[in-house]
Amino acid sequence: MDMAEKKNLLESVDARTGLAGSNKMEILLFSLGTRETFGINVFKVREVGRTPRITRTPNMPRGVEGLISLRGNVIPVLSLSSFLELEGVPPGLGNSMMVAEYSKRTLGFLVHEVDRIIRVDWEKVKAPETLLSANQGLITAVIELDGGRLVSILDVEQVLANAFGEAVIIDIPPARISEEVSLFFVDDSVVARRKIAEVLDRLGVKHKHANNGAEAWVRLQAIAAHSQQVGTALRDEIRLILVDAEMPEMDGYVLTKNIKADSRFEGVPVVMHSSLSSEANRAMGKAVGVDAYVAKFDAEVLADTLRPMLER
């Protein structure tokens, strides 16, 4: 891909926000210099360009190559290949850098080469059933393209946790709720599920979870059917539902639309919790009926958002 193509590659990202409610996504394909192909959600990428001059500083975490100044902001630059145990990675930092926004943080990701953008249905984005032990937890989904080519979607939240450590949860007062109050959440990131569970435990709320949108919808329908069968209000079984935005097989927007279209879930609020923190994604969440939108990952903000809904 030449520089002109890279410059125009992401110009219409904002115009693509309508995809968020259609169970479709656009993936930016890239290589780390090996035979494998990787991908990242276009909504998270702000720009793509050549690898700039990087200022190395002492005591940087493993995988963080240094810092750059980008339009007045100093951002860390990570080499993605250093987090994956891949054979045949060429020497050097790679030719291209993707500037991405994750959880209100801007970062540079060094890659060997950027390929192109593809559009896929979320239902074709599968959670990997088996992973190489060396990369356990770093691949959150796999897409099979026409011709059998596989694209691995990295769990960037896990990459960032490996590089910078996980956010420390300091002080979250418990919610004023009974011991029977329960919440259901869904997220495809191992790191996110662990941190969400920690927040919920601090709040003192029981919780159940699923690993992707399709699994969540199956489980939620089963819970609703059981509640209907025994004659109890579903709100007594689930006080609140917390959903991620981008997940294999069914994204959080379609999951929310399904929940809001099912009268059995009336009165059960849906909160979207996502590393896609742009205003466009907040608008899409509102369009499908989410009751609140929280950017990952601020434990106190998440707790403050959930607490009044749980106590209601």
Side-chain angles (χ1 to χ4, degrees):
M1 178 179 294
D2 60 30
M3 291 305 294
E5 289 176 312
K6 288 181 179 179
K7 182 178 180 180
N8 296 324
L9 186 65
L10 305 168
E11 284 183 348
S12 59
V13 167
D14 288 341
R16 295 183 173 109
T17 53
L19 289 175
S22 63
N23 212 37
K24 295 180 184 292
M25 70 181 302
E26 289 191 334
I27 295 290
L28 177 60
L29 303 181
F30 62 91
S31 164
L32 297 178
T34 62
R35 297 178 61 184
E36 293 88 350
T37 301
F38 297 93
I40 184 172
N41 191 326
V42 165
F43 284 123
K44 294 184 175 179
V45 182
R46 293 290 166 258
E47 59 185 270
V48 176
R50 293 192 183 280
T51 298
R53 180 182 177 186
I54 300 171
T55 302
R56 297 183 181 275
T57 58
N59 302 318
M60 278 290 181
R62 182 184 70 85
V64 180
E65 297 297 334
L67 304 171
I68 64 168
S69 177
L70 185 69
R71 283 178 286 283
N73 296 312
V74 176
I75 67 171
V77 177
L78 290 73
S79 176
L80 286 181
S81 62
S82 65
F83 294 93
L84 296 163
E85 296 188 12
L86 302 173
E87 295 184 1
V89 176
L93 297 179
N95 301 320
S96 300
M97 183 181 74
M98 304 183 300
V99 178
E101 180 184 338
Y102 273 83
S103 306
K104 298 186 289 187
R105 298 175 64 180
T106 303
L107 309 106
F109 294 129
L110 298 178
V111 300
H112 181 72
E113 185 178 26
V114 173
D115 186 356
R116 68 188 191 279
I117 291 175
I118 61 169
R119 181 176 294 187
V120 297
D121 294 326
W122 268 113
E123 62 187 20
K124 294 183 178 179
V125 182
K126 303 297 184 182
E129 295 182 3
T130 59
L131 296 173
L132 295 176
S133 59
N135 294 328
Q136 184 71 34
L138 288 177
I139 298 173
T140 190
V142 174
I143 305 168
E144 183 174 0
L145 305 182
D146 293 341
R149 182 183 179 191
L150 297 179
V151 177
S152 297
I153 308 298
L154 295 183
D155 184 348
V156 179
E157 291 165 9
Q158 182 69 63
V159 170
L160 297 182
N162 289 356
F164 302 110
E166 296 183 18
V168 178
I169 298 176
I170 305 297
D171 184 26
I172 295 179
R176 295 187 295 272
I177 55 177
S178 72
E179 294 181 355
E180 298 308 311
V181 171
S182 181
L183 177 152
F184 187 95
F185 73 90
V186 52
D187 202 297
D188 65 327
S189 168
V190 175
V191 171
R193 291 198 299 270
R194 183 164 59 243
K195 301 309 290 185
I196 291 168
E198 187 175 349
V199 170
L200 299 179
D201 289 342
R202 297 286 188 95
L203 285 171
V205 59
K206 294 165 57 178
H207 48 85
K208 304 172 184 177
H209 76 271
N211 298 339
N212 63 65
E215 177 189 331
W217 184 229
V218 169
R219 294 195 62 189
L220 287 169
Q221 286 180 299
I223 293 170
H226 176 264
S227 177
Q228 199 171 40
Q229 184 178 15
V230 299
T232 61
L234 182 58
R235 183 172 163 78
D236 293 335
E237 298 257 356
I238 304 173
R239 182 66 56 87
L240 186 149
I241 301 171
L242 181 68
V243 303
D244 187 17
E246 50 173 347
M247 297 178 288
E249 301 184 44
M250 179 187 292
D251 67 20
Y253 300 100
V254 172
L255 176 60
T256 299
K257 286 203 297 186
N258 288 346
I259 293 168
K260 293 298 183 178
D262 192 325
S263 60
R264 295 175 299 179
F265 292 92
E266 185 175 355
V268 180
V270 178
V271 175
M272 183 164 282
H273 184 230
S274 174
S275 59
L276 299 172
S277 52
S278 71
E279 288 304 316
N281 290 102
R282 290 177 182 273
M284 276 310 308
K286 184 177 181 180
V288 297
V290 299
D291 297 276
Y293 192 109
V294 183
K296 291 179 181 176
F297 186 83
D298 188 319
E300 286 73 23
V301 172
L302 177 60
D304 290 344
T305 302
L306 298 180
R307 188 181 289 106
M309 292 184 173
L310 293 168
E311 294 175 346
R312 190 177 302 164

